[in-house]
Amino acid sequence: MSRQRAVHQAASLLLGYPDASWPQRVSQVAAAVGRLDGTAAGLLLRFCRETASVPLLDLAARYVTTFDRSRRRTLHLTHYTDGDTRRRGASLAELKARYRAHGWEPADGELPDFLPAVLEFAARCPEAGTALLDEHCGSLDLLLRALDDHHSPYAQVVRAVRSTVPGRRAAVPVPEMPGPVPFPFSGALGDEGVRR
């Protein structure tokens, strides 16, 4: 397995939710990455060392706080380019089609833009996966910046991934909250029958 594929697979495992399999997962990743050289491997090993002594419940709570409570730090890459719009649905469908074209599907219940799924795809299908990561390098940059601002050790994992992606495009950030809706319209019907 090439170094880049190993980095992508390791990062996919490290960016997954730290459930009961976490201790075994992180120890396997550390053993595999420990045989590699380079900056990306060093960043992944540092993350493994820093999180090894954190109790599992604390690590799980940090994961949720880091990735699930802020749109600025989401692991869903199309949020950075499409936000919560109809366009995102089309982007997700296109990702699924690309995966199927290479004979791969993400785990059940996982959206195709979930970074660990994209990374696993890149590890299994390096050419297509690296191209996909390159298309989303702006999203990776925004995620990395937000993780750095949050002082999260997960920044090291994303930085390791980013070092394997050649692109340098920057994504346009999607606003955290949409602008105000111009409602009610003048001359609009009354609000009878409207639930509040």
Side-chain angles (χ1 to χ4, degrees), residues 7-167:
V7 167
H8 291 163
Q9 185 63 63
S12 173
L13 293 168
L14 295 176
L15 288 171
Y17 180 78
D19 58 14
S21 70
W22 177 259
Q24 180 182 5
R25 198 180 343 152
V26 79
S27 117
Q28 288 175 335
V29 167
V33 172
R35 296 190 293 263
L36 302 175
D37 59 349
T39 305
L43 289 165
L44 295 173
L45 282 173
R46 186 170 150 204
F47 174 82
C48 290
R49 280 192 303 270
E50 286 181 13
T51 57
S53 62
V54 178
L56 189 55
L57 286 176
D58 291 347
L59 193 61
R62 288 183 197 178
Y63 184 94
V64 169
T65 301
T66 301
F67 296 119
D68 297 341
R69 300 244 169 105
S70 171
R71 290 182 187 181
R72 290 190 65 231
R73 295 185 303 269
T74 184
L75 290 173
H76 294 278
L77 297 177
T78 60
H79 261 290
Y80 297 98
T81 54
D82 299 330
D84 284 327
T85 64
R86 288 183 188 165
R87 189 176 61 219
R88 182 167 184 242
S91 296
L92 293 174
E94 191 231 330
L95 280 173
K96 279 186 182 178
R98 287 171 80 170
Y99 291 157
R100 280 194 207 108
H102 289 87
W104 187 80
E105 281 195 38
D108 287 340
E110 232 18 287
L111 289 175
D113 67 337
F114 186 52
L115 182 55
V118 175
L119 289 166
E120 186 173 340
F121 176 67
R124 292 171 184 259
C125 305
E127 190 174 321
T130 301
L132 184 56
L133 286 168
D134 185 50
E135 290 170 26
H136 290 278
C137 68
S139 298
L140 291 171
D141 289 341
L142 290 172
L143 172 59
L144 180 56
R145 188 177 318 141
L147 290 171
D148 280 336
D149 290 347
H150 190 62
H151 306 291
S152 171
Y154 285 102
Q156 296 167 74
V157 180
V158 176
R159 189 169 277 110
V161 169
R162 187 61 182 90
S163 73
T164 68
V165 181

